[in-house]
Amino acid sequence: RSASTCTRMGEAYPDFYHVKTPWGIKRFRMGDRCTNPLDSWPDPEVYLHYPSRQMLAYMDIRNLNRTWPGRPNGAITERTTWAMTQLIRREKVDMAVDLHEAELEYPVENTIVTHEKGQSVAAMTSMVLTAELFEVPLSMEFSPQALHGLSHREIGDHTDAMSLLVEVAEPMIDRIRGITDEYLLMTGRDEFVMKAGEHKLLYAPIDERGWPIDVRVGRHSSTFQKMLEFYSLEAPDRAVIISGVPGYTEVIENTLGTYFHDPKQAPPEKVFYD
């Protein structure tokens, strides 16, 4: 909740973004993955990760993907990841998937990063989606064993779950982008990022089509569903079967807004206010 009250400091992100649906416009608050500094103050000179004691950047004490597995008496972000670690243990979670977007200047792009436990699931997902569905290939990398705090390393090390993280291209995060507005967020189109691509400075392709939100959501949806499929083949006694979930092709063809329910049609007894 804290991270939903702020955006990345100094980046001039919009406060809100909007998705067109058949019943109107759905508004989302633009948040961050880092805890609001007003809720976690002060930052240390150096963040000492627990329990590895690896030294990380000072702001990473608020970074939800640098504080795993967390601790119950730490800062608020450490307490949050500790709570999620306990949830994974108590619910006997078999597979934890972390969905991310990354700048095109970042080498780990359009990639599954996997703990050793998820090697076969990640490899098969990467191979099949690259061959059969995605225009831009989905690669696979192993989680670095010496880099601590990340979900794909610590969940696998500290729980019984296999842990995987998936990246998709997001020009809005690139340092060389132009105006940082809702148009860039939703369309993924930016002439400056395209120019960098022409000079071979990027790790993902980009053209005038950009990386629209429908493509990004569709890739994540199909990747997650394919992971479940291959996990279920490996563990048929604990198979996870889902249906009716739109994937890459459906989200692009129908647009993301098609799949949002009208909140005004929700049963009153299922509506809660925070």
Side-chain angles (χ1 to χ4, degrees):
R1 188 212 65 81
S2 175
S4 73
T5 65
C6 66
T7 58
R8 188 181 290 186
M9 292 185 292
E11 299 293 333
Y13 286 173
D15 289 333
F16 296 91
Y17 60 97
H18 305 80
V19 177
K20 293 181 180 179
T21 77
W23 44 265
I25 302 295
K26 185 172 179 64
R27 186 172 79 156
F28 288 89
R29 176 72 167 86
M30 183 74 175
D32 195 18
R33 82 179 189 195
C34 287
T35 299
N36 192 321
L38 296 176
D39 297 323
S40 182
W41 182 90
D43 290 341
E45 291 290 332
V46 175
Y47 169 44
L48 200 62
H49 172 262
Y50 178 85
S52 71
R53 299 188 64 80
Q54 186 172 78
M55 291 187 291
L56 301 175
Y58 70 93
M59 76 287 285
D60 278 339
I61 197 169
R62 293 184 284 105
N63 186 339
L64 195 65
N65 200 32
R66 293 296 183 276
T67 57
W68 292 88
R71 51 181 167 176
N73 58 345
I76 182 173
T77 319
E78 293 176 299
R79 299 199 303 272
T80 302
T81 50
W82 177 83
M84 286 192 272
T85 300
Q86 302 312 304
L87 179 68
I88 291 168
R89 289 171 177 163
R90 292 175 186 176
E91 295 296 323
K92 296 179 171 57
V93 171
D94 295 304
M95 183 173 70
V97 181
D98 198 352
L99 302 178
H100 283 232
E101 295 186 327
E103 60 268 43
L104 283 69
E105 297 168 87
Y106 183 54
V108 185
E109 183 59 276
N110 294 312
T111 298
I112 302 172
V113 184
T114 180
H115 189 275
E116 300 88 279
K117 293 178 183 176
Q119 175 180 355
S120 57
V121 169
M124 291 301 297
T125 300
S126 168
M127 181 175 65
V128 170
L129 290 180
T130 296
E132 299 180 358
L133 187 60
F134 291 164
E135 179 181 346
V136 177
L138 178 67
S139 58
M140 185 200 95
E141 292 189 8
F142 281 112
S143 171
Q145 295 187 5
L147 182 56
H148 289 283
L150 295 98
S151 63
H152 49 72
R153 169 50 45 197
E154 306 298 348
I155 292 175
D157 281 356
H158 293 273
T159 76
D160 291 334
M162 69 171 68
S163 50
L164 310 100
L165 182 147
V166 189
E167 299 279 13
V168 69
E170 167 59 288
M172 186 176 182
I173 313 175
D174 278 288
R175 311 304 303 176
I176 52 178
R177 67 185 183 271
I179 297 174
T180 311
D181 56 9
E182 185 175 358
Y183 174 84
L184 175 55
L185 172 67
M186 303 304 287
T187 66
R189 297 181 191 140
D190 186 275
E191 60 180 317
F192 295 96
V193 178
M194 282 182 59
K195 180 60 69 174
E198 294 173 9
H199 291 280
K200 304 186 185 304
L201 299 174
L202 306 178
Y203 292 90
I206 186 171
D207 56 24
E208 64 279 352
R209 293 174 296 175
W211 280 89
I213 194 168
D214 295 340
V215 171
R216 301 183 330 249
V217 172
R219 282 181 68 102
H220 271 339
S221 179
S222 284
T223 300
F224 178 67
Q225 291 183 66
K226 192 60 67 175
M227 285 176 173
L228 287 182
E229 180 183 327
F230 286 120
Y231 166 76
S232 299
L233 288 174
E234 284 190 2
D237 57 322
R238 295 180 63 81
V240 180
I241 309 299
I242 62 174
S243 62
V245 180
Y248 182 70
T249 303
E250 294 82 6
V251 174
I252 293 175
E253 288 181 352
N254 302 323
T255 76
L256 178 62
T258 303
Y259 300 100
F260 285 108
H261 293 293
D262 185 352
K264 293 181 180 178
Q265 303 300 318
E269 68 273 12
K270 292 187 177 181
V271 177
F272 300 88
Y273 295 92
D274 182 2

